[in-house]
Structures are given as structure tokens and as C-alpha cells.
Amino acid sequence: MNPYVLVTLLSSLGLGTTLTFASSHWLLAWMGLEINTLAIVPLMAQHHHPRAVEATTKYFLTQATAAAMILFASTTNAWITGEWDMNNMSNPLATTMIMIALALKIGLAPMHFWMPEVLQGLDLMTGLILSTWQKLAPLALIIQTSQAIDPLILTTLGLLSTIIGGWGGLNQTQLRKILAYSSIAHMGWMIIVLQYAPQLTLVALATYIFMTSAAFLTLKLVSATKITVLATTWSSSPTLTATAALVLLSLGGLPPLTGFMPKWLILQELTKQGLPATATIMALAALLSLYFYLRLCYAMTLTISPNTMASVTPWRTPTTQGSVTLALSTTLALGLLPLTPAILMLAT
């Protein structure tokens, strides 16, 4: 892609998200979401592969549907209340419709069906943008309007997302689909605690971005899109394979890695709020996700020796790709757990 076009599209992505962050008017927020969508569509279709074009079409139709629902719901609310302000969401119908539309935008279950299919058709770097940056603007709107949303809706979306995100990834062999279901599960953890402690949602979002960035950048560096390819990565980059396995365990939420922090704090908060049953279901759903992360770790670290592989072993050649961002995100994804008290103090 032409570098000038690429800079323009990436700048538009930043503009759309910033516009949504800064807006308290539903029309401006909707415009920011639309700029976001229109900026990422050319990035998704840049390879002109039929699979990429199909994924782009699915994504565009889904986002257009969600945007139309947001516009309709905000217009309904403005008609009833006389205001476009986000903090004045007094109509239950409009509030519910906006929550469903925003859930569709970020891929919360049961509006998640587009997410694995779209991510599977994209290259890894565009998939990284879709899994991280594109979540920010809708989540900001959900956080701003969370006090007006029915708690039952938030709890239902959170529980369904963690269960389906874990269940859906169990039988997958494509890494991008596994990361898509991982995204759905993590979004569920963020939504479930939103009504009680919004700062924990932000902590969970930040750690999710670190871990997912490290996972996508690692897969990009070793050019892996299937589990079978992971089995031979040790021969080309042993150190990277070790850190990648730790990043996957961090995504699963195992201590002493960073991913344990948000899950621990969220379960603690749910228990404090007198919801032990919800906390138990969330913890059990996390085991489903942990299973497919362990599958990936097994494929990367335990399938070669002493067995022989049918696939061709790659040469250990020096890479020409920059790895500063990968090193930084991997370090954050693995080592932030000791700073939990400080992070929690900053969040509160």
C-alpha cells in the first residue's frame, strides 16, 4: 500500500477514536465510529484476496447495521427527552438498543458470529488493529452509558461472552480464529464488572491490549497462522517460542503472569458485590479458554522431541523485521503482576 494512503488511513483511525472519546453528543460519537469503520475497510481489503474481500464485506455490513441501530436509538432518545447528551439516557428502549449495537460492534456474544470469520480472512497486522484499537471507541461509549443500562443485560452479555469465547475456541486449528474467540472471552470479563468497578474494566482492557499485541506480533514474526506451523517455530527462534508460550499462558490468566491480575481483581470484586455464583461461572469459563491456550503451548513446546514432524523445518535465519514493539508488549504481558497494588491505586 502507498505510504501516503497508509498514513491517511491510520490518521483517520486515530481521528475517529479520538472524536468518539471527546464527544458527549450522540451524533458526534456516531460520526467517530463511522470514520473508524471507513478507515479500516481499505486496510482489510488491501491484499485483494477473495477471503479478505469477503471478510471486509462481512465487517462492513455488521458495522453499518450497528451504526444504524445507534443512530436510530439516539434519535429515539432525543425525540423523547429533547437532548442528544449521552448522560441523559432515560428511555429504556433506546438504552437497550444502543447497548446491543455497541455489543455488536465489539463482538460480544450472542452478537459475536462475525468476529471469528472476519479475523480469519485478515492478515495478522490488520487483525491486531481490529482486536485492539477498534474496541476502544465502542467500549468508551459503553463505559459512559453503563449507569443507564439494565444490569441484567450487562451480566448476561458478560457471562455469555466468557462461556462462548471459551467454548468456541476449543476445536479450532486456525490461530486467528482462536485469538478471535479469546477476544470475545476477554470482552466478557470487561463487561461483567463494568457496573460495579469501571476502573477494573480499564485495567482489564489495558492488559488485554498488551497480551494480544504480543501474541499477534509474535505470530507475525514467525509467519504462523495454523497450529501445525507453531510446532516448528522452535527451530527458527527458540527464545521467541519460549516467550510466546508464556504470553499464551498470560492470556489464559495463569499466575505469576500479567493476565492473572484482571481476572483475580474481577472475581474479587464480584465476590464483594455478593455474586459468588456469577464469579464461579466466570472462573469455570476461564478454564475453557485456558484449555486452548494450553493446546497452543503444547504444540509449540512439547510436540517435537522425541517425535519427528512431517512438515519442513525452517532455517534459523536472522529476521529483518523490527521487534521493539514486540519486546515491549511481551515484557508488559509477562511482568506486570508485581505492580498490581500500584496499578489498582492508580485506577481508583
Side-chain angles (χ1 to χ4, degrees):
M1 181 177 281
N2 188 303
Y4 296 112
V5 176
L6 183 61
V7 168
T8 303
L9 294 176
L10 293 178
S11 302
S12 299
L13 274 177
L15 172 66
T17 304
T18 308
L19 185 62
T20 304
F21 281 175
S23 60
S24 59
H25 190 286
W26 274 115
L27 199 58
L28 281 178
W30 173 80
M31 285 173 62
L33 293 173
E34 284 301 284
I35 292 172
N36 242 355
T37 302
L38 294 175
I40 200 174
V41 162
L43 291 173
M44 296 170 74
Q46 62 180 316
H47 295 295
H48 304 294
H49 189 275
R51 191 71 184 83
V53 174
E54 180 189 347
T56 307
T57 306
K58 288 178 179 176
Y59 180 77
F60 178 76
L61 292 175
T62 305
Q63 299 300 302
T65 304
M69 288 177 67
I70 291 173
L71 196 59
F72 179 71
S74 56
T75 306
T76 303
N77 186 69
W79 181 28
I80 293 172
T81 63
E83 293 184 14
W84 285 86
D85 194 359
M86 288 181 193
N87 298 319
N88 188 22
M89 296 293 295
S90 56
N91 183 23
L93 176 63
T95 308
T96 304
M97 193 176 298
I98 280 180
M99 183 61 218
I100 291 172
L102 293 172
L104 183 60
K105 273 202 169 284
I106 62 174
L108 279 173
M111 284 74 73
H112 68 285
F113 295 102
W114 63 270
M115 182 81 181
E117 297 298 323
V118 168
L119 207 58
Q120 174 61 26
L122 305 179
D123 67 293
L124 289 166
M125 292 310 295
T126 313
L128 172 59
I129 296 173
L130 184 66
S131 299
T132 54
W133 186 263
Q134 290 299 93
K135 309 280 189 189
L136 297 180
L139 266 175
L141 296 180
I142 291 175
I143 291 171
Q144 286 186 63
T145 57
S146 61
Q147 299 308 313
I149 299 170
D150 186 358
L152 181 61
I153 294 176
L154 291 174
T155 305
T156 304
L157 289 173
L159 286 174
L160 276 176
S161 295
T162 48
I163 293 170
I164 291 175
W167 210 314
L170 292 181
N171 203 29
Q172 300 296 333
T173 58
Q174 299 287 335
L175 297 177
R176 285 165 292 184
K177 279 194 175 182
I178 288 175
L179 288 172
Y181 282 110
S182 167
S183 172
I184 294 166
H186 278 89
M187 288 296 125
W189 282 88
M190 294 174 211
I191 293 299
I192 196 79
V193 79
L194 180 58
Q195 54 198 313
Y196 308 114
Q199 69 273 13
L200 289 187
T201 298
L202 297 177
V203 170
L205 176 63
T207 53
Y208 164 74
I209 288 174
F210 295 147
M211 295 184 294
T212 302
S213 299
F216 270 101
L217 292 171
T218 302
L219 297 179
K220 172 70 174 173
L221 200 64
V222 299
S223 301
T225 56
K226 297 180 182 178
I227 292 182
T228 52
V229 179
L230 286 181
T232 55
T233 53
W234 69 272
S235 59
S236 58
S237 47
T239 308
L240 189 64
T241 302
T243 56
L246 290 174
V247 166
L248 291 170
L249 292 177
S250 183
L251 274 167
L254 282 186
L257 304 170
T258 306
F260 176 64
M261 173 177 60
K263 288 184 170 60
W264 170 36
L265 294 175
I266 288 170
L267 290 177
Q268 187 181 34
E269 183 63 32
L270 290 174
T271 309
K272 279 182 184 176
Q273 296 292 336
L275 299 167
T278 305
T280 304
I281 294 171
M282 296 291 288
L284 292 175
L287 293 177
L288 292 172
S289 299
L290 181 60
Y291 173 77
F292 61 73
Y293 294 128
L294 286 173
R295 272 183 70 211
L296 299 183
C297 292
Y298 177 81
M300 294 178 76
T301 57
L302 297 172
T303 53
I304 289 294
S305 181
N307 300 323
T308 56
M309 290 292 293
S311 55
V312 178
T313 304
W315 286 96
R316 190 180 299 178
T317 53
T319 179
T320 57
Q321 299 183 50
S323 56
V324 176
T325 311
L326 172 60
L328 180 62
S329 58
T330 301
T331 304
L332 292 172
L334 300 183
L336 283 182
L337 187 63
L339 299 178
T340 301
I343 293 170
L344 197 56
M345 286 300 294
L346 288 174
T348 53

